[in-house]
Amino acid sequence: MKLHSTFNSLLGVALLTAAPVSVPAQATLADSMLFARAQRMFAEGDGAAGRAIVDSALVVIPVSSPRYAEGLFWRASLARAALDAERDYRRIAVEYSLSPRVPDALIRLAQLELARGDRMLAARHLERLLREFPPPPARATAWYWLARVGFEDKDLARGCIALDSAQALAPGDNAELANQIRYESGRCLTRADSRPPVAAPAVAAPTAVPEPASGPVKHAAASTAMYTVQVGAYPTRAAAERLRTRLAKQGFAARIVSGTQIFRVRVGRYSTKSDAERTAASLKAARLEAWIVNAEPAG
């Protein structure tokens, strides 16, 4: 019931209160007109007729065409049941990886998984979006929903880190997303993070890194270090600083490495990969993840 109710809520936000969604360039003008008509009929309460229009389009569009992914997106958006929508969103995400609808499909899949209570799978969909798709509007929405995952996990600090990134990337003309971020940010004003910190899922590496239980691996001299452990990567320094502060409270000397529009949080420098892997093994034993990367030049 919760999944069905949430699915109906998503339909309401996406279709009943929003202006018609533009159709990507791969679709023909005829497709655009058909899908716009289907959306309009659904919004007017005739969902069956809207779905019939989309089904008729999918009969004639070749399955190998990018236009077919557009049709699948609209069939999912107008679906009667959440499971029907989920099936089509998954097809888009798996079979049409080059479609401009993949980010939308991943966000909808994450929302459905969150409604189902599977926060881990919801986060995976959102993390894939952040890894593979650069457009800022979709990334801002993904960070917002990652914040929601953190809040539902009762990990306010992780949620607030994600919310920082959502706020930094949110387009100025998306009032609805801005309002959602503003509403959730109220949780971050007077929070008390009493849980052991776990970094928010990040663009490159969504994890924090503990030292091995047998004692910390000795860090190599800066001039000979080849490897380091990356804990997170964020579009704002504020989010990176928040994570570094959390790590410092646990005794980790984390640092921030600035790049082009991204701030990476890293711990340690190692002369051999095996040294870094020992820290990673300790992390996995704690049911977390580590990301071993080449160390940046010291200085």
Side-chain angles (χ1 to χ4, degrees):
M1 289 298 293
K2 181 181 179 183
L3 180 61
H4 183 72
S5 175
T6 301
F7 175 67
N8 288 338
S9 177
L10 293 176
L11 285 180
V13 171
L15 299 170
L16 299 181
T17 63
V21 178
S22 60
V23 178
Q26 287 92 331
T28 65
L29 178 60
D31 292 339
S32 177
M33 294 175 64
L34 275 175
F35 297 142
R37 182 185 173 198
Q39 181 191 17
R40 185 171 61 253
M41 296 186 75
F42 185 95
E44 292 173 353
D46 196 349
R51 287 187 288 271
I53 290 174
V54 176
D55 287 340
S56 67
L58 286 173
V59 169
V60 298
I61 297 175
V63 175
S64 59
S65 170
R67 294 164 50 207
Y68 198 84
E70 181 69 14
L72 289 175
F73 175 80
W74 283 106
R75 186 168 73 180
S77 297
L78 306 180
R80 185 192 304 273
L83 291 178
D84 294 334
E86 182 179 3
R87 180 189 62 242
D88 285 339
Y89 288 137
R90 288 189 185 280
R91 284 193 64 185
I92 295 170
V94 174
E95 299 177 26
Y96 299 91
S97 59
L98 298 181
S99 169
R101 287 302 188 188
V102 174
D104 292 328
L106 289 172
I107 289 171
R108 299 283 179 88
L109 285 170
Q111 292 168 333
L112 290 170
E113 293 295 353
L114 197 57
R116 186 181 286 120
D118 193 334
R119 293 184 292 274
M120 181 178 295
L121 192 52
R124 286 178 184 172
H125 291 311
L126 298 167
E127 289 165 10
R128 178 189 166 190
L129 190 160
L130 291 171
R131 286 194 306 268
E132 300 178 12
F133 300 93
R139 294 170 68 81
T141 302
W143 278 115
Y144 166 77
W145 282 98
L146 276 171
R148 292 281 299 272
V149 171
F151 295 146
E152 293 213 6
D153 268 338
K154 303 189 187 313
D155 189 340
L156 290 180
R158 188 177 67 179
C160 292
I161 287 172
L163 207 60
D164 282 343
S165 296
Q167 189 167 26
L169 293 172
D173 60 351
N174 192 333
E176 181 181 354
L177 179 59
N179 289 335
Q180 291 172 327
I181 293 172
R182 188 179 304 110
Y183 176 81
E184 295 293 344
S185 65
R187 301 172 183 255
C188 304
L189 298 178
T190 58
R191 72 184 187 279
D193 182 20
S194 59
R195 292 184 55 184
V198 179
V203 175
T207 53
V209 183
E211 297 285 355
S214 58
V217 174
K218 293 182 179 180
H219 295 171
S223 60
T224 61
M226 297 177 60
Y227 302 98
T228 186
V229 181
Q230 185 157 302
V231 184
Y234 302 96
T236 67
R237 177 171 283 277
E241 289 285 3
R242 188 173 295 187
L243 176 56
R244 183 169 67 171
T245 298
R246 296 176 65 207
L247 290 170
K249 290 179 180 178
Q250 283 197 310
F252 299 109
R255 66 189 183 279
I256 296 176
V257 180
S258 300
T260 304
Q261 297 183 337
I262 197 161
F263 300 88
R264 297 174 176 86
V265 182
R266 293 176 174 177
V267 174
R269 293 177 179 274
Y270 308 95
S271 58
T272 67
K273 191 172 184 179
S274 60
D275 287 341
E277 286 174 344
R278 281 199 289 273
T279 298
S282 177
L283 172 65
K284 292 175 182 177
R287 294 193 299 174
L288 299 170
E289 297 178 4
W291 193 270
I292 300 171
V293 299
N294 293 332
E296 77 286 353

